[in-house]
Amino acid sequence: MYTAMAARPLLLPPPVLLLLVVLAASSAAHGYGAYGYGDAAAELRVGFYKDSCPDAEAVVRRIVAKAVREDPTANAPLLRLHFHDCFVRGCDGSVLVNSTRGNTAEKDAKPNHTLDAFDVIDDIKEALEKRCPGTVSCADILAIAARDAVSLATKVVTKGGWSRDGNLYQVETGRRDGRVSRAKEAVKNLPDSMDGIRKLIRRFASKNLSVKDLAVLSGAHAIGKSHCPSIAKRLRNFTAHRDSDPTLDAAYAAELRRQCRSRRDNTTELEMVPGGSTAFGTAYYGLVAERRALFHSDEALLRNGETRALVYRYRDAPSEAAFLADFGASMLNMGRVGVLTGAQGEIRKRCAFVN
């Protein structure tokens, strides 16, 4: 079994410097269309609930921390929910909405069948509705919970070496919830594990996310697990000749074939970073460089000069500090995609149901 790269010593920036880096990267842009940054994104701000629900972020953190204590693998699903929300109709909580008789919602689209942690979001919403009724949006809960989940998976954060508040980055809030959720839009917009680099760049550009954002946000694959159907094509059916993906390290491919004897095996769990699927850091980039990353879309980062340079920069850096700061900045960028603010949308009473 391949083991993750050994942890490197961390030379960290002072908390104030990190805050300046992230906030500088978070300056609002305007006029990029419905699914990019726009005037609505400019209304987001850190501390939006300071007066209306002062304990909002503390409530989210408490429930996320409890979920992670009870199940250390819960961090990845919470982070993934925010990604899958923002890439479809923007960050409006639409991934949480249940299907109805007349509509198949995003959560029931094929790319979302493996999403999890909806119960954690429901617990958070219930607690916040008791404390501050009709105030905190489900979209903001997703953004805060994702930040808390990845912060709790980052050793330097949990050991107090990153920031005083124990957060990897600060979250802008003020989003409102959308009223529309369609499965077909999830199929169209979500990146696929078999995407090549050109398609990935186009998908991210459609959300006004840069090539750097693509390389940085792919680092979310440092935590979590997948299942055999996600890599079945890479292992046995990459072309009509029923061969394996030549970009996947041959020895690792053979090991994966031993684990995944059936492309329909939804039971076997495959760690994104073998031996380190609950610890967030830069080990993922070492796997990409060695052609041992799980997805074809991971290896695709080596097929573009800018993304390839970032893979090697993060892998070879003497400290994880630069990557962690970049990740926070890119999460803020993604968190502005297609947001609803002001009088737009609504504040759902229950995240799975439109009011």
Side-chain angles (χ1 to χ4, degrees):
M1 174 66 73
Y2 180 79
T3 55
M5 296 172 62
R8 302 182 182 91
L10 297 175
L11 305 175
L12 299 172
V16 173
L17 177 58
L18 170 66
L19 181 61
L20 291 175
V21 169
V22 173
L23 291 181
S26 72
S27 56
H30 299 272
Y32 286 96
Y35 295 134
Y37 309 159
D39 291 338
E43 295 184 29
L44 299 179
R45 66 178 185 272
V46 174
F48 180 85
Y49 298 109
K50 180 180 179 181
D51 297 322
S52 60
C53 191
D55 297 330
E57 292 196 28
V59 170
V60 177
R61 183 56 164 255
R62 173 174 57 79
I63 295 175
V64 169
K66 179 177 182 290
V68 172
R69 280 197 307 272
E70 294 175 351
D71 178 7
T73 67
N75 45 35
L78 287 166
L79 180 58
R80 192 170 175 229
L81 277 176
H82 185 42
F83 274 76
H84 282 234
D85 183 40
C86 292
F87 267 82
V88 186
R89 303 193 70 83
C91 311
D92 67 344
S94 55
V95 74
L96 302 172
V97 175
N98 284 351
S99 295
T100 62
R101 182 175 297 179
N103 178 65
T104 303
E106 290 172 33
K107 66 164 58 172
D108 290 318
K110 186 176 180 180
N112 287 335
H113 285 174
T114 57
L115 290 181
D116 201 355
F118 292 102
D119 58 327
V120 180
I121 301 302
D122 288 341
D123 288 346
I124 294 169
K125 182 60 174 175
E126 183 179 358
L128 286 172
E129 282 298 303
K130 290 179 180 177
R131 187 172 297 247
C132 312
T135 302
V136 183
S137 69
C138 299
D140 276 344
I141 290 172
L142 284 176
I144 300 167
R147 186 274 311 277
D148 290 350
V150 73
S151 295
L152 291 167
T154 307
K155 291 181 179 178
V156 68
V157 174
T158 57
K159 291 181 179 179
W162 188 258
S163 65
R164 293 186 181 89
D165 60 6
N167 292 322
L168 184 58
Y169 57 94
Q170 290 189 306
V171 174
E172 294 174 332
T173 44
R175 300 168 189 81
R176 289 172 65 84
D177 298 321
R179 298 187 177 97
V180 177
S181 181
R182 299 190 182 105
K184 63 182 180 181
E185 293 183 354
V187 173
K188 178 181 178 181
N189 286 279
L190 287 170
D192 186 84
S193 65
M194 289 301 298
D195 281 350
I197 189 61
R198 292 181 180 178
K199 192 167 188 177
L200 288 169
I201 290 173
R202 288 197 302 271
R203 287 191 192 274
F204 275 67
S206 72
K207 312 303 177 189
N208 199 47
L209 294 172
S210 69
V211 174
K212 181 177 181 180
D213 289 325
L214 164 61
V216 173
L217 293 174
S218 294
H221 288 171
I223 55 176
K225 299 177 181 180
S226 188
H227 295 86
C228 296
S230 297
I231 61 166
K233 185 175 176 66
R234 291 196 85 186
L235 299 183
R236 294 186 175 89
N237 196 32
F238 192 69
T239 70
H241 300 291
R242 304 187 71 80
D243 54 358
S244 62
D245 184 349
T247 67
L248 180 62
D249 175 78
Y252 190 43
E255 180 180 333
L256 290 171
R257 279 193 294 272
R258 286 193 294 272
Q259 295 182 65
C260 295
R261 299 188 180 278
S262 168
R263 66 178 298 134
R264 297 182 179 85
D265 178 1
N266 278 307
T267 303
T268 299
E269 293 184 333
L270 306 168
E271 291 184 295
M272 300 299 292
V273 174
S277 63
T278 61
F280 186 75
T282 56
Y284 160 80
Y285 293 101
L287 295 178
V288 173
E290 295 167 5
R291 298 189 300 125
R292 284 175 167 258
L294 209 54
F295 297 152
H296 184 72
S297 58
D298 295 320
E299 192 279 336
L301 297 177
L302 299 177
R303 304 295 164 172
N304 171 273
E306 185 175 351
T307 55
R308 182 173 59 251
L310 287 164
V311 166
Y312 286 104
R313 180 190 303 174
Y314 295 138
R315 183 197 68 170
D316 297 336
S319 161
E320 292 182 316
F323 165 67
L324 294 178
D326 287 349
F327 188 80
S330 288
M331 287 291 286
L332 287 175
N333 289 341
M334 186 184 72
R336 300 191 192 107
V337 173
V339 296
L340 304 174
T341 59
Q344 299 170 317
E346 63 184 18
I347 304 297
R348 284 188 223 133
K349 296 176 182 177
R350 291 187 293 171
C351 290
F353 302 93
V354 174
N355 290 346

